[in-house]
Amino acid sequence: MDSATLVAALRRVVPADRVVDDPAVVESYLQDHAEWADYGRAAAVVRPRGTAEVREVVRFAGEHRIPVVPRGAGTGLSGGANALDGCLVISFEAMNSVLEIDRAERLAVVQPGVVNDDLRAICAEQGLWYPPDPASAPWSTIGGNVATNAGGLCCVKYGVTRDYVLALEVVTGRGDVVRLGRRTAKGVAGYDLCGLMVGSEGTLGVITEVTVRLRPQREPERTIAGYFHSVVAAGEAVSAVSASGVIPSALELVDRHCLEAVDAWKNMGLSTEANVVLLGRVDTPGHAGEQEARTILRCFEQAGATWAALSTDEQEAEALFDARRLAYPALERLGPVLTEDVCVPRALVPEMLARIEKAAAAHDTLIANIAHAGDGNLHPLLITPIGDDAARQRAQAAFEDIIADAVALGGTVTGEHGVGLLKRGGLRREVSPEVLAMHRAVKDALDPLGILNPGKVFA
């Protein structure tokens, strides 16, 4: 079936205005933010407004054996939402309603297109808090966060998206609508199929509704900042904080390359003062919180901080965290960025940072570092000049070295971005052939027609 015939047939299945085949519009839906990941030409983009329409699209795709690629806001960094040749991209931008906030049960029910920060703002009005906070929170959607099991700055203390998903409504590869999980605080009936969907990157089902757990609004945070002469020294401070027993509400690392890029873009003046900035926060109230903050400060100082202090200026502290959030888009202005997402045991953060520096030198590649350092999740950012194919090949070699080093240290190739396209080789390094076969068996069982985001996670 050619594209025109396919689109005409699809417009008889769902309202015609939901289906977009204008090449100029379709172009903007073909890839996520993983600049180095391949992508194809979609036959059309469908923008449904309800679960029934999603079901009909999936059934249509199954009947005609057409790949289906679910898409949130396209902020992913692994190519998981990238289009395939001839596929249907299902964009959830129009399914963006918060359906329910239950203060008594501390839960929210949302459609997948709801933006993370929008949900957090609505919850705050009710005295509640939705913790998962990826750096892309102002733009990324809850559906995309669930698909990749997104993390964020505060997950060192509060966990990742999976820890807050109570229930899902999903359209299966057969075109059935099923509800997984529960609304209760506890429940162990059957396999955890809801948890299985979280982080599955659209390969096992198309998520159409999400029920998330909420927490009471937390106390104001105390911020501790430290400047270090090297990323390895900052890594030693991270290990010291971990060994101290204090669980910070955030512990973030930003190196000089990132600070300089942010300064060049936003003129914040940070790179004149430090080679590496380590940012800690605690949200424990009262005297206990004060003691935790001072313990982190002492860890910074004992690890060789060139300057460290408890912040007394909330605006200044927020500016430092803004610099952390702005690091990735600031670096994108320098050239194509290949983003790593490795995670290692916290005690091995210094060793992993040293190995990243070694990879940068060995392959003559500029590697900037940001990190959710408190939980060992490191984001080396490999930058190459536009159009420099030789530099790109060197960066790709450094990328593979970093993955190999993370696995060798007992870590994982992705802490929160997902496997998508970029980490498929890394997944084969990390898990045994037997475990990979288990993954494929689950995929085959839940997507027997092979239409749900094929080729992602594993080929």
Side-chain angles (χ1 to χ4, degrees):
M1 184 186 304
D2 61 50
S3 292
T5 304
L6 183 151
V7 169
L10 184 57
R11 283 178 171 146
R12 293 191 291 271
V13 172
V14 295
D17 65 347
R18 310 294 200 261
V19 183
V20 180
D21 64 341
D22 180 334
V25 178
V26 171
E27 180 74 26
S28 64
Y29 291 85
L30 298 183
Q31 64 183 128
D32 63 16
H33 279 197
E35 293 187 59
W36 291 38
D38 294 333
Y39 62 95
R41 313 299 303 183
V45 174
V46 186
R47 299 185 289 208
R49 297 185 183 173
T51 300
E53 293 179 6
V54 176
R55 178 190 62 209
E56 294 308 313
V57 172
V58 174
R59 287 180 175 175
F60 176 88
E63 180 182 348
H64 297 285
R65 300 299 191 272
I66 302 167
V68 170
V69 178
R71 177 187 174 92
T75 61
L77 292 166
S78 66
N82 283 14
L84 307 167
D85 286 337
C87 78
L88 297 176
V89 173
I90 301 180
S91 170
F92 286 97
E93 63 200 271
M95 291 178 63
N96 61 356
S97 296
V98 175
L99 304 174
E100 179 185 359
I101 300 285
D102 188 326
R103 292 185 65 185
E105 295 295 334
R106 293 180 185 165
L107 61 82
V109 182
V110 305
Q111 291 183 309
V114 170
V115 171
N116 183 296
D117 265 4
D118 291 347
L119 173 61
R120 289 161 67 89
I122 292 170
C123 290
E125 293 172 359
Q126 303 285 329
L128 298 169
W129 178 44
Y130 178 65
D133 62 339
S136 60
W139 314 282
S140 64
T141 63
I142 298 300
N145 293 169
V146 172
T148 58
N149 192 21
L153 275 64
C154 72
C155 62
V156 58
K157 183 172 184 177
Y158 292 102
V160 295
T161 299
R162 176 177 283 117
D163 299 304
Y164 295 89
V165 175
L166 287 169
L168 296 170
E169 180 184 78
V170 176
V171 178
T172 71
R174 297 178 185 274
D176 299 323
V177 178
V178 298
R179 300 193 72 87
L180 307 173
R182 71 217 185 268
R183 288 173 64 105
T184 54
K186 295 172 65 178
V188 295
Y191 298 134
D192 184 8
L193 298 179
C194 178
L196 181 63
M197 288 290 167
V198 181
S200 64
E201 303 185 51
T203 63
L204 302 181
V206 182
I207 296 166
T208 53
E209 185 182 286
V210 186
T211 301
V212 296
R213 186 194 320 272
L214 304 176
R215 298 178 65 100
Q217 193 64 261
R218 60 178 172 167
E219 295 290 327
E221 294 176 287
R222 296 175 172 87
T223 299
I224 311 95
Y227 297 168
F228 295 83
H229 62 83
S230 71
V231 291
V232 175
E236 296 289 354
V238 171
S239 293
V241 172
S242 178
S244 75
V246 172
I247 302 176
S249 54
L251 187 55
E252 298 289 308
L253 180 149
V254 190
D255 80 356
R256 185 175 187 83
H257 299 303
C258 298
L259 296 172
E260 288 176 342
V262 171
D263 281 349
W265 185 22
K266 298 295 184 180
N267 196 30
M268 297 176 73
L270 296 172
S271 61
T272 61
E273 301 180 18
N275 284 326
V276 183
V277 173
L278 201 57
L279 302 171
R281 275 184 165 167
V282 295
D283 60 1
T284 304
H287 178 71
E290 180 70 23
Q291 292 301 109
E292 287 183 353
R294 294 199 174 279
T295 297
I296 292 176
L297 177 63
R298 186 166 59 252
C299 290
F300 285 11
E301 292 171 341
Q302 292 175 351
T306 57
W307 173 86
L310 291 170
S311 177
T312 56
D313 184 331
E314 186 59 33
Q315 190 171 11
E316 179 183 67
E318 199 55 45
L320 290 169
F321 275 88
D322 284 343
R324 162 62 182 88
R325 296 184 183 96
L326 290 168
Y328 183 83
L331 288 164
E332 282 187 307
R333 299 170 75 246
L334 304 180
V337 178
L338 179 58
T339 307
E340 283 276 18
D341 175 36
V342 296
C343 191
V344 297
R346 288 184 292 261
L348 295 177
V349 166
E351 173 65 19
M352 189 64 219
L353 288 167
R355 293 193 183 200
I356 292 168
E357 289 196 323
K358 181 179 178 181
H363 298 286
D364 189 23
T365 297
L366 173 60
I367 302 182
N369 284 283
I370 53 177
H372 304 309
D375 53 19
N377 191 186
L378 310 180
H379 295 313
L381 306 170
L382 297 83
I383 304 113
T384 59
I386 297 172
D388 189 334
D389 291 339
R392 182 166 176 146
Q393 290 177 3
R394 293 195 303 272
Q396 187 64 53
F399 182 88
E400 296 300 330
D401 280 359
I402 291 169
I403 285 176
D405 283 335
V407 173
L409 293 177
T412 178
V413 300
T414 175
E416 59 185 9
H417 292 169
V419 173
L421 292 171
L422 293 181
K423 297 295 185 71
R424 290 180 302 180
L427 180 64
R428 290 194 296 272
R429 283 179 181 269
E430 183 175 330
V431 304
S432 69
E434 294 80 7
V435 172
L436 197 58
M438 292 171 69
H439 280 77
R440 291 197 171 101
V442 172
K443 167 73 170 170
D444 291 344
L446 298 184
D447 180 26
L449 302 178
I451 63 169
L452 298 180
N453 217 6
K456 309 296 174 56
V457 184
F458 49 83

